[in-house]
Amino acid sequence: MEKYTKHFFNNIRKKLEEWEAAASIPHDEVYRFIHSMAGSASVLGLHNIGDSARELMDHHNEEEKRMWTISEVKEELFDIIQYCYHYEEESIEVFPGKQSREGEEPVVLLIDDDTTFLMYMKEELEKIGWYVVPIANPEKAIMSYYDVRPDCAIIDIYMDGTNGFEVLDFFKKKLKQQFIPTIMVSVENSKEVRMKSYQMGADDFIAKPFDLDEFIVRVKRQMERKKQMEELVLIDELTMVYNRKFLSQSYAQVQSDWARRRDSYCVAVLDLDDFKGVNDRYGHLMGDRVLKEFASQLKSETRIQDTVFRFGGEEFVIIFPHTSIKEACTFVDDIRKRFSQMVFQANPAFSCTFSAGVAEIADPAKPFDTWLKLADNALYEAKSSGRNVVKMDGKAGEHSPHKIMKIAIVDDDPIIRTVMKDIVSKLPGEQHIQYDIHTFKDGAAFIASDWHEGIPCLVILDGVMPKMDGLEVLEQIRSRSDSDRYKVLMLTSRKSERDISRSLQLGADDYMTKPFKLLELEARLGQMLKRMR
């Protein structure tokens, strides 16, 4: 029966490929195909497909006179195409923690030129719910460090062409204010190597081979230490948001991002209205409670990439990356409306409001105080106009245009292409980012196209394709002078460890093995797109 089931799915693939090459498809041909699926699927026990096909037959008359486009056919048959993918997907082992990701999982940067080690550690660490970025090329690790923003970096000491100590030295010199734990690993466990690791600033040294359970515990301990350090030095004790000491580090990140992407950034200054009156009437303990509730609402209602600071007293600052000034004003105004409805229980009960000013960071080469002053001027205007209002810097330019982000799906399987395009089109995005999604049936078609020129592009790349396989495409991408514009997610077979190894050596940003759970793909794409914004 399995042989005939595979034949059934292959026939669907062949028909979709045939229709993709056609300008239009006659209705009677589409109807006959649905009719054929309705009969064959039920015989093979594929009842979901059979039921869907029969339902489609009820909606259409064989005698209809119309021509279909391939987009219309795929939309009409999407449930059936998705069932075809799920049939293979059902056999996949689901690792604990893999289906509950929400973008908050710890991010581990793993740097080692031993691709077997990278593949093994990636699989094992992702079983416990961590997001692992494996990098086989140390130079790529240095270039992508700002994009990854890891919670921990694990660096092998001896790598071909580069010493792991050079990577460690870069991290410690360039990122002095960043509390990112670094763990050195090596097969050489001499006292000299251990001493040098610690002298250069490594937070731990783990000798290979190691016990995986102990390794995980030690990495967890370093990530917990990072969290404690941030809370101790950079977190405001009362409100548990960042304090003003963290502003310079955050602005440095804005400057680094802007230099590469030239995207819109904004800063908002928020100030509670008549906060002195709250302290005078209800006491400082109640005033502290208002501050904590206000900060809690700011944290819960801003996005993951936004950063909230307590600037001093009842004044707070928010940095909005990849956000136009109009969008930032809308975000802050929505928070203002909800906060004004909050009731604090006292005698008598009361509510609070805040005013805010928003400015666009037009040129991060200028000091942060430049933009803070513009936002503060807008705040002054908000206070002068009656309070409980959000004002935009009057010198702000016109609304920034949408940022285009291209997503290429390069796969010779029409079922995979169709399902992936649907997933990508439904990924949550930011208001100012517009996804331009395009599918390619082979690597040669992608390389020959000028569609992806000049704009950041995420490439979902199948490893095995006719004419030009995924590794050849990846090699051509990485040979380009503008290769940093491309993030590449390689799709490989479970049996092709050699291809996985080669893709890591060539600079793939991540990989997944087929067949994979669609929820896992969605989480992985979300992480990669977040790094590109």
Side-chain angles (χ1 to χ4, degrees), residues 412-478:
D412 63 323
D413 187 335
I415 290 177
I416 297 288
R417 289 200 301 271
T418 303
V419 172
M420 280 195 179
K421 185 171 183 180
D422 181 73
I423 289 174
V424 172
S425 66
K426 292 176 181 175
L427 285 173
E430 306 300 336
Q431 292 182 26
H432 72 299
I433 294 178
Q434 180 179 331
Y435 294 143
D436 182 4
I437 307 165
H438 198 80
T439 61
F440 298 87
K441 64 180 181 180
D442 57 55
F446 173 77
I447 291 298
S449 172
D450 59 2
W451 164 85
H452 50 84
E453 296 291 339
I455 291 177
C457 183
L458 171 61
V459 185
I460 306 167
L461 183 59
D462 186 27
V464 181
M465 294 180 290
K467 297 183 181 179
M468 181 183 288
D469 66 24
L471 291 175
E472 292 176 283
V473 175
L474 177 58
E475 192 166 13
Q476 290 215 26
I477 288 174
R478 292 307 179 215

Side-chain angles (χ1 to χ4, degrees), residues 310-379:
R310 185 184 181 191
F311 196 68
E314 65 271 26
E315 194 170 62
F316 292 76
V317 170
I318 306 175
I319 292 180
F320 294 100
H322 321 301
T323 309
S324 72
I325 190 166
K326 288 189 177 180
E327 289 170 331
C329 283
T330 299
F331 288 150
V332 176
D333 200 49
D334 287 343
I335 296 172
R336 180 194 62 79
K337 291 171 184 174
R338 285 187 284 271
F339 181 70
S340 67
Q341 296 169 358
M342 185 180 294
V343 177
F344 293 92
Q345 297 303 321
N347 187 21
F350 68 97
S351 296
C352 281
T353 62
F354 71 85
S355 302
V358 183
E360 183 175 3
I361 300 173
D363 179 7
K366 294 182 179 179
F368 182 66
D369 285 349
T370 305
W371 318 114
L372 196 63
K373 183 173 178 57
L374 292 178
D376 205 49
N377 289 342
L379 170 64

Side-chain angles (χ1 to χ4, degrees), residues 264-324:
S264 299
Y265 296 80
C266 289
V267 59
V269 179
L270 296 73
D271 189 86
L272 289 167
D273 295 325
D274 194 26
F275 185 67
K276 184 178 183 300
V278 173
N279 281 329
D280 290 346
R281 185 169 186 179
Y282 298 98
H284 287 278
L285 287 179
M286 178 57 75
D288 286 351
R289 182 181 161 196
V290 171
L291 288 171
K292 287 191 284 189
E293 290 289 344
F294 182 43
S296 176
Q297 184 159 353
L298 292 181
K299 284 198 299 182
S300 65
E301 296 195 15
T302 49
R303 305 160 301 177
I304 292 175
Q305 66 265 37
D306 303 331
T307 312
V308 180
F309 309 82
R310 185 184 181 191
F311 196 68
E314 65 271 26
E315 194 170 62
F316 292 76
V317 170
I318 306 175
I319 292 180
F320 294 100
H322 321 301
T323 309
S324 72

Side-chain angles (χ1 to χ4, degrees), residues 43 58 61 73 75 139 141 146-147 152 162 164 202 280 382 393 407 411 430 442 473 486 532:
V43 171
D58 292 340
N61 188 318
V73 169
E75 183 176 352
E139 292 181 5
Y146 286 107
D147 288 334
C152 185
T162 305
D280 290 346
D393 167 35
I407 303 177
D411 198 303
E430 306 300 336
D442 57 55
V473 175
Y486 298 86
M532 293 178 69

Side-chain angles (χ1 to χ4, degrees), residues 100-355:
S100 59
R101 296 182 176 175
E102 298 178 352
E104 297 281 1
E105 65 271 22
V107 178
V108 177
L109 184 63
L110 191 59
I111 307 165
D112 197 314
D113 64 346
D114 182 350
T115 52
T116 301
F117 176 76
L118 288 179
M119 287 185 281
Y120 171 74
M121 291 300 293
K122 178 178 171 67
E123 182 169 329
E124 292 299 319
L125 297 180
E126 289 192 343
K127 287 180 182 179
I128 62 174
W130 294 354
Y131 177 64
V132 179
V133 180
I135 297 182
N137 183 330
E139 292 181 5
K140 179 177 171 58
I142 290 174
M143 294 300 293
S144 64
Y145 189 86
Y146 286 107
D147 288 334
V148 176
R149 302 182 192 180
D151 295 291
C152 185
I154 299 164
I155 309 167
D156 185 55
I157 291 178
Y158 296 109
M159 293 178 281
D160 185 29
T162 305
N163 190 308
F165 288 129
E166 295 176 23
V167 181
L168 174 63
D169 185 56
F170 169 82
F171 287 171
K172 294 302 177 181
K173 282 184 177 177
K174 299 295 184 183
L175 308 167
K176 289 180 180 178
Q177 293 182 316
Q178 300 246 10
F179 293 93
I180 308 296
T182 50
I183 299 175
M184 306 304 288
V185 296
S186 176
V187 293
E188 184 177 341
N189 189 21
S190 66
K191 178 180 178 180
E192 289 76 18
V193 169
R194 297 197 306 272
M195 289 286 288
K196 186 173 182 180
S197 297
Y198 292 125
Q199 286 169 350
M200 292 189 66
D203 297 281
D204 201 355
F205 174 92
I206 302 177
K208 294 180 179 179
F210 46 73
D211 178 83
L212 184 63
D213 290 340
E214 180 184 345
F215 178 88
I216 290 172
V217 167
R218 289 170 73 168
V219 174
K220 278 184 176 178
R221 178 175 172 272
Q222 291 298 333
M223 290 194 288
E224 288 167 0
R225 176 173 166 266
K226 172 182 181 288
K227 186 176 180 181
Q228 290 168 354
M229 289 283 286
E230 287 182 344
E231 290 178 354
L232 182 65
V233 179
L234 302 175
I235 301 295
D236 178 67
E237 187 176 0
L238 175 66
T239 60
M240 300 309 291
V241 299
Y242 285 110
N243 58 35
R244 64 190 299 166
K245 292 179 183 177
F246 191 57
L247 265 170
S248 60
Q249 182 178 328
S250 295
Y251 191 56
Q253 183 66 60
V254 169
Q255 291 171 316
S256 172
D257 286 348
W258 191 85
R260 288 172 291 140
R261 297 172 186 170
R262 305 278 169 160
D263 209 352
S264 299
Y265 296 80
C266 289
V267 59
V269 179
L270 296 73
D271 189 86
L272 289 167
D273 295 325
D274 194 26
F275 185 67
K276 184 178 183 300
V278 173
N279 281 329
D280 290 346
R281 185 169 186 179
Y282 298 98
H284 287 278
L285 287 179
M286 178 57 75
D288 286 351
R289 182 181 161 196
V290 171
L291 288 171
K292 287 191 284 189
E293 290 289 344
F294 182 43
S296 176
Q297 184 159 353
L298 292 181
K299 284 198 299 182
S300 65
E301 296 195 15
T302 49
R303 305 160 301 177
I304 292 175
Q305 66 265 37
D306 303 331
T307 312
V308 180
F309 309 82
R310 185 184 181 191
F311 196 68
E314 65 271 26
E315 194 170 62
F316 292 76
V317 170
I318 306 175
I319 292 180
F320 294 100
H322 321 301
T323 309
S324 72
I325 190 166
K326 288 189 177 180
E327 289 170 331
C329 283
T330 299
F331 288 150
V332 176
D333 200 49
D334 287 343
I335 296 172
R336 180 194 62 79
K337 291 171 184 174
R338 285 187 284 271
F339 181 70
S340 67
Q341 296 169 358
M342 185 180 294
V343 177
F344 293 92
Q345 297 303 321
N347 187 21
F350 68 97
S351 296
C352 281
T353 62
F354 71 85
S355 302

